[in-house]
Each structure stands twice: as structure tokens, then as C-alpha cells.
Amino acid sequence: MTSTPDYGSQQGSQFRPEYEPPAWHVDPAQQQTPWHSVGPMLAPPRDACQFCGGLPAAHVDVRAHRGLVIWMQWETISAYLCATCGIALIRKMTTKTLWQGWWGVGSLIIGTPVTLLNNLSSYLRLRQLPVVTAALGRSQVDLGRPVLERPAAYVALIPLSWATWLVTNLLTR
Ligand SMILES: [Zn+2]
């Protein structure tokens, strides 16, 4: 004879479990924090890196400048950035400035030097931060190569040698 497992007492056809369900299961008011709402859904602090959510981060401006003979364009990212994301953006935007920044008199004399000095000061601030990892579920900006290992940066030598030649010519005439 086979015995069936005892699942609880049966009264007629009505099944009644022989345990008390926990209070949180019966009363939704007691379910204060749904289990699925904790963790990744917590908002990152306001001063965390805007790209990866890493801490600590510093509030810096990263700029790029483009000279277009009689016109000029600025591009600015003003945000909290961690060391990795910030230096990645500085490398990218400084390289862009070094090949696009010089093509206008105003850009050559003011726009590009101001942009490069701004990025240098932001770089020095970010260098003081410890390197951190990205917050859960987010990733950092790709650091890429240093500026002087990017061929585009050397385009700057053309307008700079021209400007040096021009100034030398004016002074020695
Ligand atoms: Zn970051």
C-alpha cells in the first residue's frame, strides 16, 4: 500500500493549508519596500560622475574650439566627472582643438590658447582624484591614447609654424 504525502487536512473538497501565511503576504500595507526596487534603482548622488556614476568626482569644464576663418565654434561639457571619464574627454576634446582650433586669426590668438589652458587646469584637478570604478550597470568613457600619441594633434604644427614664420617675418623686416 502506498501512502500519499500529507499536504494538509481536507474538509470535503475544500483544501485548507495548515500554516499561517506571513503578515507581509496577506497585508500589502506591510510591504514597505518592494524587494525589486532596491539596488540599481537608487539614484546616484548629485556629485557623482555624470557618465559612470563613480565617486569621487570633480566639477570641471572641458572645452573644444574650432576656428572657421571668420567664424568660431565652442563646445563645452560642464559636469561632475571622475578621473577616468574626465581625462578621457579632455584627451578627445583637446586633440580636436589641436587640429580644428587654429583656422582663424581670433581662434589662433585667443580661442585655442584659452581652450587649451582651460583643459589643462581641468586635467590637473582630475589628476588629483583617485581612480574609481563605474557604478553598477554603467560604464566609463574609453580613456584612449594620450594626446601626443594621436596623429591629429600634430596638425597643430602647421598653423603654429606659419604663425611663428609670420611673426618672425614682421619683427625682422
Ligand atoms: Zn566616470
Side-chain angles (χ1 to χ4, degrees):
M1 180 183 154
T2 54
S3 61
T4 50
D6 183 18
Y7 293 117
S9 61
Q10 248 172 318
Q11 291 177 335
S13 61
Q14 190 81 39
F15 175 77
R16 240 185 61 223
E18 286 189 335
Y19 66 91
E20 289 298 317
W24 57 263
H25 184 77
V26 179
D27 182 7
Q30 292 195 32
Q31 300 177 9
Q32 287 166 349
T33 310
W35 61 271
H36 51 79
S37 72
V38 295
M41 289 183 76
L42 291 174
R46 198 183 64 86
D47 58 351
C49 174
Q50 193 185 296
F51 287 86
C52 73
L55 272 171
H59 195 277
V60 290
D61 292 336
V62 183
R63 294 181 204 278
H65 181 82
R66 190 177 182 193
L68 298 162
V69 187
I70 52 162
W71 190 249
M72 52 178 85
Q73 277 179 343
W74 300 83
E75 198 181 317
T76 306
I77 295 176
S78 185
Y80 281 99
L81 300 171
C82 74
T84 305
C85 297
I87 291 174
L89 289 175
I90 287 177
R91 285 178 173 181
K92 195 173 161 194
M93 290 173 77
T94 300
T95 307
K96 197 172 172 185
T97 304
L98 283 174
W99 76 273
Q100 294 185 334
W102 311 97
W103 314 105
V105 177
S107 299
L108 186 68
I109 299 169
I110 300 163
T112 294
V114 165
T115 302
L116 295 178
L117 287 174
N118 168 87
N119 287 359
L120 177 66
S121 108
S122 297
Y123 174 76
L124 294 175
R125 279 190 64 201
L126 290 166
R127 275 282 299 269
Q128 292 172 6
L129 297 177
V131 173
V132 291
T133 49
L136 196 65
R138 298 175 71 172
S139 53
Q140 289 177 312
V141 181
D142 180 27
L143 196 54
R145 291 168 166 277
V147 173
L148 294 181
E149 288 180 21
R150 299 179 190 215
Y154 292 94
V155 173
L157 293 175
I158 301 166
L160 284 181
S161 16
W162 173 80
T164 310
W165 174 83
L166 185 73
V167 171
T168 314
N169 237 10
L170 289 174
L171 293 178
T172 55
R173 192 153 56 167

